[in-house]
Structure formats: C-alpha cells, structure tokens
Amino acid sequence: MSRGRLLWPLIALAGLIVLNVVFTPSFLELRVQDGHLYGSLVDILRNGAPTLLIAVGMTLVIATRGIDLSVGAVAAIAGAIGCTWIADGGDAPTAVLLALSVCVLLGLWNGFLVSVLGIQPIIATLVLMTAGRGVAMLLTEGQIVTIRNPAFRQIGAGFLVLPIAILISLAVLLAVALLTRRTALGMLIEAVGVNPEASRLAGVRSRTITWTVYVFAALCAGVAGLMISSNVSAADANNAGLWIEMDAILAVVIGGTSLAGGRYSLTGTLVGALVIQTLTTTVYTIGVPTNTTLLFKAVVVITVCLLQSPRVARAVSGRRTAPAPTPRSQKVAAG
C-alpha cells in the first residue's frame, strides 16, 4: 500500500486532535498516578482497544475477499459466557478459556460455511450476527449479569503503567504483522484474495487459509468481548459489541485495505481504528447532539474515504492521467 493512501487518514486524525485541543486545552496532557498513566490520549487508546483488536482480524478476512458481520455478536457471547461462569461461582481463568474456546468454534462455523459450503461471506456471517445476540440473551436470561472479580477486571480495566487492554491489542497487532510480513503467510492471504481459484491451482491451500482467518477473527472478537465486559464488570447481551463490526470495517477501509480483497495494511488499520475512536471522543468533546452523532461520524468517514479515492486525489492535486491508447491508435502510430 502506498504512503499516499494513509495521508488523508493521518490528516483527519491530526485535525480531530486539534479540534479536541481547541475545545479542551488539557486534551494532550498526560499524568502518572499510582504508577498508572492517565490522560485523554490514553483513554482513546483504551476505549479503542476492542475496535482495534477486531479490526486486525477483520483485515485478514477482508484480505481474502471476505467479510465478517458476526464479530459483534461473538463479542457479546464471549462476555456473556465469561460473566455467567463467574457469577455461578467459577474462576476467571476458566471463564476466559471457556469463552475463547466457544469463540473458536464459532469461527470454525463461519469458516465452514464460507470455505467448504461456498456460501457468500456476508450471508454466512449474517446468520451468526442475527442468531448470536439471541444466544447471548439465552446465556444471560435476558438480564445484565454483574460480577465482582478483580482478576477478570484486569483484562479491560487493569494497568501495567498503560492499560492492559492497550497492551493486548498492540501485542496482537505486532504478532500478526510479524507473522504475515516476515513469512510467506501474508503473500498467501493476498493471493487468495486476488483469485482464490488461481491460488488453489497454484498449490495454495486457499480453503485452509480462508478457514483460519475466520477463526482468528472470531478469536479476536472473543478477546474484545471479554475486554468490554470486564471493563464494566457486567455482561449486557443487548449492547455489548453493538455495531462494533461496522466500526472495525470502517477502520479497515479508512486504512486503505480494499473490500475487493488482495493487498492489505495493518498500519492502515491501526490508523483507521484511531480515527474512529478519536472521532467518537470528539463527538462528546464538542457537544454534538445525541440525535446527530451518527450523521456527524458518517460525514467525517465519507469525506476521508472520498479523499482517498484516486480520482478525487488527482482532482485535488490538479493532475490528469492521459487515457490509454487504443489498439487502433497504436497501429496508426506504428504506421
């Protein structure tokens, strides 16, 4: 991915930060209290950690020419399982292991529908997106399950100088970047996204790769769901992870990854997630009315995406690309 594709998202991110500083002069201030780092920038990173984590998994899914609309429901299921287990007297490590194991099974289900049965990804994952909330509601019996467990709370609200949620998300991002860019895995994922059939004929196990990225996306969603529920020490099946799949997809697209599959950028995904979370923070900072919040976010996101368009970029820079010569004109020139 060219650096130019990241230019406008970075400009948008800088503009949002400047806007916050105008309305809140102390926005960039950081302070250390009890060995913990606090500040508005830290809050943005902490609140955006679940979105970033899901966006990392979504990046690989989209790179294979797929999409996963079920990650929000999977996050809700993970939170429901974890909190319900603890509320019934279980311990935190077992709750986490059980929740993530179920998420892996859900990822296997999505991968099976897409890679084995050949169902369109948007349809295959829409099934779990719809049914998953119902499963989470059944697990919590339609109630908000509240818990008090210091060990479990560390996942979303704990600190190791920085919030643990930030460290987890950045660690996953770095691990995926090293694994996909320092080995052939990234190239194989891109090959599947460009042309699954051609990659299969070339000896690439496209079905296995597709299956794997859906499992990984579900696992990321499960960890994000545990972050969300542990941060508030409660499981809310109705609202936990609601529409987070849209924020993750927007973060990936803003970062320059094409929904048509192929080349992807984890750096772009990181920038996109920061733009989305900073935009959400800005909405509250400048006092945008609640009933126009989604419209405000939509306008900013659409503007950034339009500015990333090659045609718009050429128009802004005043450059025009000469049309490619037709075969007839080439013959005339040769004669």
Side-chain angles (χ1 to χ4, degrees):
M1 176 183 153
S2 63
R3 294 180 180 179
R5 295 297 298 275
L6 276 180
L7 176 62
W8 289 111
L10 288 172
I11 290 175
L13 180 60
L16 289 171
I17 291 175
V18 170
L19 185 60
N20 279 277
V21 171
V22 170
F23 280 85
T24 309
S26 62
F27 183 78
L28 297 178
E29 292 181 1
L30 297 174
R31 71 182 189 279
V32 178
Q33 181 177 339
D34 299 328
H36 302 160
L37 190 63
Y38 292 95
S40 297
L41 294 178
V42 176
D43 290 339
I44 288 175
L45 291 173
R46 183 181 62 185
N47 294 332
T51 301
L52 173 60
L53 192 56
I54 291 178
V56 171
M58 189 71 73
T59 300
L60 300 185
V61 171
I62 290 177
T64 61
R65 201 185 291 188
I67 199 77
D68 191 346
L69 300 180
S70 68
V71 287
V74 172
I77 291 173
I81 292 174
C83 290
T84 302
W85 180 268
I86 293 173
D88 290 340
D91 60 309
T94 304
V96 171
L97 182 61
L98 183 60
L100 295 183
S101 298
V102 172
C103 290
V104 168
L105 292 177
L106 295 176
L108 287 170
W109 168 253
N110 282 337
F112 173 76
L113 294 180
V114 175
S115 64
V116 178
L117 298 187
I119 299 175
Q120 288 291 328
I122 193 171
I123 302 300
T125 57
L126 186 62
V127 173
L128 185 54
M129 176 186 179
T130 305
R133 291 282 169 187
V135 172
M137 290 289 290
L138 286 174
L139 291 170
T140 60
E141 298 181 351
Q143 306 296 319
I144 297 177
V145 179
T146 58
I147 59 173
R148 292 178 61 87
N149 188 298
F152 184 74
R153 185 167 172 77
Q154 291 295 311
I155 301 173
F159 274 84
L160 287 175
V161 182
L162 284 173
I164 292 177
I166 297 176
L167 299 178
I168 292 174
S169 296
L170 292 180
V172 171
L173 176 66
L174 180 60
V176 172
L178 291 175
L179 184 62
T180 58
R181 294 310 187 191
R182 297 296 181 181
T183 69
L185 180 59
M187 182 181 65
L188 296 178
I189 290 174
E190 291 177 342
V192 172
V194 171
N195 193 321
E197 184 61 21
S199 62
R200 185 186 66 81
L201 294 175
V204 177
R205 296 183 177 179
S206 56
R207 178 178 294 181
T208 302
I209 290 175
T210 301
W211 212 330
T212 302
V213 296
Y214 279 96
V215 171
F216 178 69
L219 185 61
C220 288
V223 177
L226 293 175
M227 283 183 185
I228 295 169
S229 60
S230 68
N231 189 42
V232 295
S233 296
D236 185 354
N238 274 326
N239 298 308
L242 187 63
W243 306 123
I244 198 171
E245 62 273 3
M246 299 305 169
D247 283 346
I249 293 170
L250 284 174
V252 175
V253 173
I254 288 174
T257 298
S258 172
L259 287 173
R263 293 188 62 83
Y264 64 93
S265 171
L266 292 170
T267 302
T269 295
L270 172 61
V271 174
L274 290 176
V275 169
I276 293 297
Q277 187 56 50
T278 306
L279 179 57
T280 302
T281 301
T282 304
V283 166
Y284 297 108
T285 299
I286 67 177
V288 174
T290 305
N291 57 344
T292 61
T293 296
L294 294 178
L295 178 61
F296 177 80
K297 291 179 67 174
V299 169
V300 174
V301 170
I302 290 172
T303 301
V304 173
C305 291
L306 286 176
L307 290 172
Q308 284 180 291
S309 167
R311 181 172 296 180
V312 174
R314 288 195 297 269
V316 171
S317 62
R319 293 178 298 175
R320 290 188 177 183
T321 303
T326 62
R328 182 179 179 83
S329 64
Q330 291 175 343
K331 291 180 180 179
V332 172

